[in-house]
Amino acid sequence: MTTSTLHEGSATASPVVAAPDARLPLARLRRLFLELVRFGVVGGSGVAVNLVVFNLLLHGLSSAPMTATVLASCVAMGTNYLGFRFYAYRDRASRTKRQIALFFVFSGIGVLMESLLFYAAYHGAGLNGPLGSNIAKAQSIVLASAFRFLVYRTWVFQHRAHHDARRP
């Protein structure tokens, strides 16, 4: 940002560079930190739902491991949508068919990633006992969550200004 000033005895203006506002990066970091905290709260509850449903299906109802992981992930996906929409990203663009579709498309990709990671750990690394299956499931959730965080904040729950700027 530049401003013009008149020097004493000079009729010409010279540009002066304004000092950057140190609060802007701090405010941006604070917003990102709070967003991560809210994402973590919703994600943490989603992990709990995911693990409870997974254990109920796999160990309680003797479902196949891949069936248990996919169904548990899908149930958690539904509860996460509600948490993200009404808590973590409630200040973002209002609910639209596009937003809902993007959420479920990216969540579906996340479920696929999570399932492949679970499969690799459960069958490939031999984490297939009661404790091992939960470790495999938890690791797959954590790894797929990094992807989810990035796509949810970037494409699904956009800031209103970012969303409006994209309109022609």
Side-chain angles (χ1 to χ4, degrees):
M1 174 180 223
T2 63
T3 58
S4 295
T5 60
L6 290 177
H7 291 290
E8 266 185 60
S10 170
T12 62
S14 65
V16 175
V17 177
D21 189 354
R23 293 177 299 198
L24 290 177
L26 288 176
R28 193 171 293 141
L29 284 173
R30 182 178 181 274
R31 279 194 310 271
L32 180 60
F33 175 76
L34 291 174
E35 182 179 340
L36 281 167
V37 168
R38 288 190 302 266
F39 184 89
V41 167
V42 173
S45 66
V47 168
V49 166
N50 202 330
L51 289 172
V52 166
V53 172
F54 171 74
N55 279 291
L56 176 68
L57 292 171
L58 182 64
H59 302 297
L61 300 175
S62 300
S63 296
M66 291 308 294
T67 301
T69 196
V70 170
L71 289 176
S73 296
C74 289
V75 170
M77 179 189 347
T79 61
N80 283 352
Y81 177 76
L82 296 173
F84 288 131
R85 172 69 185 97
F86 295 107
Y87 174 65
Y89 295 117
R90 70 179 178 267
D91 61 333
R92 305 277 175 107
S94 61
R95 184 186 67 197
T96 63
K97 290 179 184 177
R98 180 181 179 276
Q99 182 187 63
I100 294 168
L102 283 174
F103 178 85
F104 285 103
V105 165
F106 286 128
S107 292
I109 294 169
V111 168
L112 178 63
M113 289 172 62
E114 190 178 314
S115 299
L116 291 172
L117 292 164
F118 174 78
Y119 183 88
Y122 188 86
H123 294 289
L127 294 174
N128 50 18
L131 178 61
S133 64
N134 279 283
I135 291 170
K137 182 66 173 167
Q139 287 176 337
S140 68
I141 292 169
V142 168
L143 293 172
S145 292
F147 164 78
R148 289 181 180 115
F149 175 74
L150 292 173
V151 297
Y152 291 166
R153 77 180 307 268
T154 304
W155 289 293
V156 180
F157 299 104
Q158 300 172 344
H159 282 289
R160 178 51 113 189
H162 182 248
H163 181 71
D164 290 342
R166 296 177 132 199
R167 290 186 182 164

